[in-house]
Amino acid sequence: MKAAIFKGPGAVEVGERPEPVIQEPTDAVVRVVLGCVCGSDLWYFRGESPHAAGSIGHEFIGIVEQAGANVRSVRLGDLVVAPFIYSDMTCPHCRNGSTISCPAGGSFGNGTIDGGQGQAVRVPQAGGTLVRVPGSGHSDEVLRSLLALSDVMSTGQHAAVMAGVKEGDTVAVVGDGAVGLCAVLAARRLGAERVIALSRNPARQKVASEFGATDIIEARGDEAVQAVLELTGGTGADAALECVGTGQSIATAAAIARPGSVIGIVGVPHGEVPFTGTFFRNIGWRGGPAPARVYIPGLLDDVLDGTINPGLVFDYETDLDHIADAYRAMDERRAIKSLVRVGGI
Amino acid sequence: MKAAIFKGPGAVEVGERPEPVIQEPTDAVVRVVLGCVCGSDLWYFRGESPHAAGSIGHEFIGIVEQAGANVRSVRLGDLVVAPFIYSDMTCPHCRNGSTISCPAGGSFGNGTIDGGQGQAVRVPQAGGTLVRVPGSGHSDEVLRSLLALSDVMSTGQHAAVMAGVKEGDTVAVVGDGAVGLCAVLAARRLGAERVIALSRNPARQKVASEFGATDIIEARGDEAVQAVLELTGGTGADAALECVGTGQSIATAAAIARPGSVIGIVGVPHGEVPFTGTFFRNIGWRGGPAPARVYIPGLLDDVLDGTINPGLVFDYETDLDHIADAYRAMDERRAIKSLVRVGGI
């Protein structure tokens, strides 16, 4: 089969991989319909973090093509959404909602198992992992939104849930990447009355507004902090959602959060977390890699009934043969997020 | 009036201070009945942190002796509990439950305003700050427990509330000082089924057991971590309560918390918080100085009806003339917490 192959920094090529087959009775093989490129894929593409050479990509939707004897929750022919981490959903961590810590779990496209940027994927723990999409004949718009549940929308949701966003809150979102934009959507979905998005990019501002942002702040750093404080009468946001992970974005989130609030942090922290300062203001930090599997069923219902449309984050698309273009569009910041059309439904 | 005076590291003496008087219509003057020494008082007593010379102490209960024209929630003659921070309870931060960030607030015994280790205290924002104790003729046992609400019990409660302790949880408490012991009590009060206390001191183990600890672990560091993991079937605690603030205790709390949980941290962090490691396990950190004023009413009800008895943390007592002994008993670790009898009720 064809698949995107990582050969080293800057080098993502289309290559051949063996067709995946069932290896364990808990496996399924999914024929990929749509895949996409994640902001985190850019780390190794840019050579900023190491990654095994080979098949890549951890976000996909597709059709179940083979299922092991112990896979009961999905059937051949089902359209499914794959969370970016597989997990058994039966261990104590999964039962606690912390699927990313499942001892039987793992990630796609990490050098040992195929990724979602290819024609098919063997999914371990498929019964726990895959979420079946009910109905048929879904529009392309719906399919794009379902693909967004695989990672970015679930991650934005995680930021909002971890920060405890509730009805009537004023929420500030740091980061206008696909995750930050989805965090805007998630905050509104959880009832936030006011969502302040920090963005200087007109295309991203537009999506933020479509996702329900009530205020857009174009400033950065201290100037952005002052602007959020002014918008909140000097109090700060009821919830700050940190969706970047740099030192500056973390510092901004800490400064705009009101005393007693929780910062939902989903940007992998590459900068210092100013813990002592937030401690004395009773500001907490919660987050991490999203347990997407936990969020997908609820988000999926909202996609199917048209309440949310996270697929709007895909503003570039191509096919598997042009996967390198999908990476370059994001690397060069021409795209928020690149969608890759792989197979028919 | 007589009051404890801090003159420099190791030097706490009884001295004279002017009788406090109403300065603002929102002030009250409280005649102190019971005061006590806080673990945090030892920092400056030991010369480990700076502190202004003068009147000290931030925990007290007493009788309202004077009240300004705008003080309506307490009356002359009322027995009151003072939280360790005063606050107006009307500003946005107070209304959000974050009294420690009240712009009109401040702390007692900090060099500008008298402390609770003296015969009387001027309490700013008295209407918001002081909590009236209903009834009369309270036993000495009840009075001691009411005094504990001023700081340590409210702080233990804060750790448990911030960690989201709920019915049926397994909670692990790091720290066997007065706050850690109160955190055991708070966790049980919030419905924890199992509370694991880390303590190597028989006197403190005894109080922990009386407060409802179901398991005592005598080990420290890696050995303690292994013991908690064994007790929890390898999963970790649903909530770890960090009540010390050293690098080792913070690391222990991080290692015994289960994925997806929140560490309630009330020990002022003097060591590094291993944020990246907890991020990838979806473990959050919440805490800070307790908004005692918010917790006191509920805890007070439970003290009065005999449900909780946090006064058990006082295992040494003396009078104001012997305040230096109260400090030394704690400094030399002969006492968990020293009570100081100041005036009659």
Side-chain angles (χ1 to χ4, degrees):
Chain A
M1 67 164 185
K2 277 198 292 194
I5 307 289
F6 176 65
K7 298 200 164 174
V12 169
E13 299 174 11
V14 188
E16 278 296 319
R17 292 275 302 161
E19 284 287 343
V21 292
I22 300 289
Q23 295 178 15
E24 303 286 339
T26 46
D27 288 350
V29 171
V30 173
R31 181 128 317 251
V32 175
V33 173
L34 298 178
C36 54
V37 180
C38 185
S40 67
D41 289 326
L42 295 182
W43 299 344
Y44 57 81
F45 183 76
R46 290 171 175 162
E48 289 169 1
S49 66
H51 194 277
S55 173
I56 45 179
H58 54 262
E59 300 155 286
F60 60 101
I61 63 171
I63 305 290
V64 178
E65 194 179 59
Q66 304 170 44
N70 293 351
V71 178
R72 288 183 189 85
S73 61
V74 294
R75 294 182 185 184
L76 301 195
D78 279 352
L79 173 65
V80 291
V81 180
F84 66 94
I85 295 282
Y86 58 86
S87 60
D88 63 16
M89 291 303 274
T90 57
C91 75
H93 298 323
C94 284
R95 288 201 309 271
N96 283 326
S98 209
T99 52
I100 58 144
S101 295
C102 177
S107 53
F108 296 105
N110 61 358
T112 57
I113 191 166
D114 282 313
Q117 296 163 6
Q119 289 183 309
V121 179
R122 179 176 71 88
V123 178
Q125 305 299 338
T129 303
L130 298 170
V131 181
R132 181 179 165 272
V133 181
S136 62
H138 300 296
S139 69
D140 191 58
E141 186 185 352
V142 164
L143 294 179
R144 295 161 78 100
S145 284
L146 292 173
L147 175 62
L149 305 189
S150 199
D151 183 344
V152 286
M153 182 62 208
S154 293
T155 299
Q157 167 84 354
H158 193 46
V161 169
M162 290 294 96
V165 172
K166 59 184 192 314
E167 201 76 33
D169 274 356
T170 293
V171 177
V173 179
V174 183
D176 64 357
V179 170
L181 295 170
C182 287
V184 170
L185 183 56
R188 287 291 276 184
R189 181 177 176 272
L190 291 168
E193 189 175 303
R194 193 170 192 181
V195 179
I196 304 165
L198 277 61
S199 176
R200 301 194 292 186
N201 177 310
R204 293 163 190 236
Q205 290 174 1
K206 185 162 173 287
V207 178
S209 295
E210 294 188 43
F211 281 174
T214 53
D215 301 83
I216 305 274
I217 289 178
E218 296 208 336
R220 275 199 189 176
D222 288 348
E223 213 182 317
V225 171
Q226 285 314 311
V228 173
L229 290 177
E230 271 169 36
L231 283 176
T232 56
T235 302
D238 296 314
L241 310 187
E242 205 294 320
C243 304
V244 185
T246 64
Q248 185 183 53
S249 65
I250 291 171
T252 298
I256 63 181
R258 72 159 170 78
S261 69
V262 179
I263 296 168
I265 180 166
V266 292
V268 175
H270 287 80
E272 196 202 345
V273 173
F275 197 83
T276 305
T278 50
F279 177 87
F280 284 106
R281 295 165 60 222
N282 256 304
I283 291 169
W285 298 84
R286 281 193 83 180
R293 176 60 182 80
V294 175
Y295 297 127
I296 290 173
L299 295 169
L300 188 148
D301 288 346
D302 281 12
V303 166
L304 294 183
D305 72 12
T307 308
I308 59 170
N309 53 348
L312 284 184
V313 295
F314 296 110
D315 59 350
Y316 180 91
E317 68 172 77
T318 184
D319 58 19
L320 191 51
D321 288 330
H322 297 87
I323 182 80
D325 294 338
Y327 275 79
R328 280 192 289 266
M330 286 175 65
D331 181 38
E332 296 163 10
R333 293 183 68 80
R334 286 182 281 116
I336 300 172
K337 191 166 176 75
S338 299
L339 178 137
V340 183
R341 293 192 183 276
V342 182
I345 192 163
Chain B
M1 67 162 185
K2 278 198 291 194
I5 308 290
F6 176 64
K7 299 200 164 175
V12 169
E13 299 174 11
V14 188
E16 279 296 318
R17 291 277 301 162
E19 284 285 344
V21 292
I22 300 290
Q23 296 178 16
E24 303 287 339
T26 45
D27 288 351
V29 171
V30 173
R31 182 128 315 252
V32 175
V33 173
L34 297 178
C36 54
V37 180
C38 185
S40 67
D41 290 327
L42 295 182
W43 299 344
Y44 58 82
F45 183 76
R46 290 172 174 162
E48 289 168 2
S49 65
H51 195 277
S55 173
I56 46 179
H58 55 261
E59 301 156 285
F60 59 101
I61 64 170
I63 306 290
V64 178
E65 193 180 59
Q66 305 169 43
N70 294 351
V71 177
R72 287 183 188 87
S73 60
V74 295
R75 295 180 183 182
L76 302 194
D78 278 352
L79 174 65
V80 291
V81 180
F84 66 94
I85 295 282
Y86 58 85
S87 60
D88 63 17
M89 291 303 273
T90 57
C91 75
H93 297 324
C94 284
R95 288 202 308 272
N96 283 326
S98 209
T99 52
I100 58 143
S101 295
C102 177
S107 54
F108 296 105
N110 61 358
T112 57
I113 191 165
D114 281 314
Q117 295 163 7
Q119 289 182 309
V121 178
R122 178 177 72 87
V123 177
Q125 305 298 339
T129 303
L130 298 170
V131 181
R132 181 178 166 272
V133 180
S136 62
H138 300 297
S139 68
D140 191 59
E141 186 185 352
V142 164
L143 295 179
R144 296 161 77 100
S145 285
L146 292 173
L147 174 63
L149 306 188
S150 200
D151 183 343
V152 286
M153 182 61 210
S154 292
T155 299
Q157 168 83 354
H158 193 45
V161 169
M162 290 294 96
V165 172
K166 60 184 192 312
E167 201 76 34
D169 274 357
T170 293
V171 177
V173 179
V174 183
D176 65 355
V179 169
L181 294 170
C182 287
V184 169
L185 184 54
R188 287 291 275 184
R189 182 177 175 272
L190 291 169
E193 189 174 303
R194 192 170 193 181
V195 179
I196 303 165
L198 276 61
S199 175
R200 301 195 293 184
N201 178 309
R204 294 163 190 235
Q205 291 175 0
K206 185 162 173 286
V207 178
S209 296
E210 294 189 42
F211 281 175
T214 53
D215 302 83
I216 306 273
I217 290 177
E218 298 208 335
R220 275 198 188 176
D222 287 348
E223 214 182 316
V225 170
Q226 285 315 311
V228 173
L229 291 177
E230 271 170 37
L231 283 175
T232 56
T235 302
D238 296 313
L241 310 186
E242 205 294 320
C243 305
V244 185
T246 63
Q248 185 183 52
S249 64
I250 291 171
T252 298
I256 63 182
R258 71 159 171 80
S261 69
V262 179
I263 296 169
I265 179 166
V266 293
V268 175
H270 287 80
E272 196 202 345
V273 172
F275 197 83
T276 305
T278 50
F279 177 88
F280 284 107
R281 293 165 61 222
N282 256 303
I283 291 169
W285 298 84
R286 281 193 82 180
R293 175 60 183 80
V294 174
Y295 297 127
I296 290 173
L299 295 170
L300 188 148
D301 287 346
D302 281 12
V303 166
L304 294 183
D305 71 12
T307 309
I308 60 170
N309 52 349
L312 284 184
V313 295
F314 297 110
D315 59 349
Y316 180 90
E317 69 171 78
T318 185
D319 59 18
L320 193 50
D321 289 329
H322 298 88
I323 183 77
D325 294 338
Y327 275 80
R328 280 193 289 266
M330 285 174 65
D331 180 39
E332 295 162 10
R333 294 184 67 81
R334 285 181 282 115
I336 301 172
K337 191 166 176 73
S338 299
L339 178 138
V340 184
R341 295 193 182 275
V342 182
I345 192 161

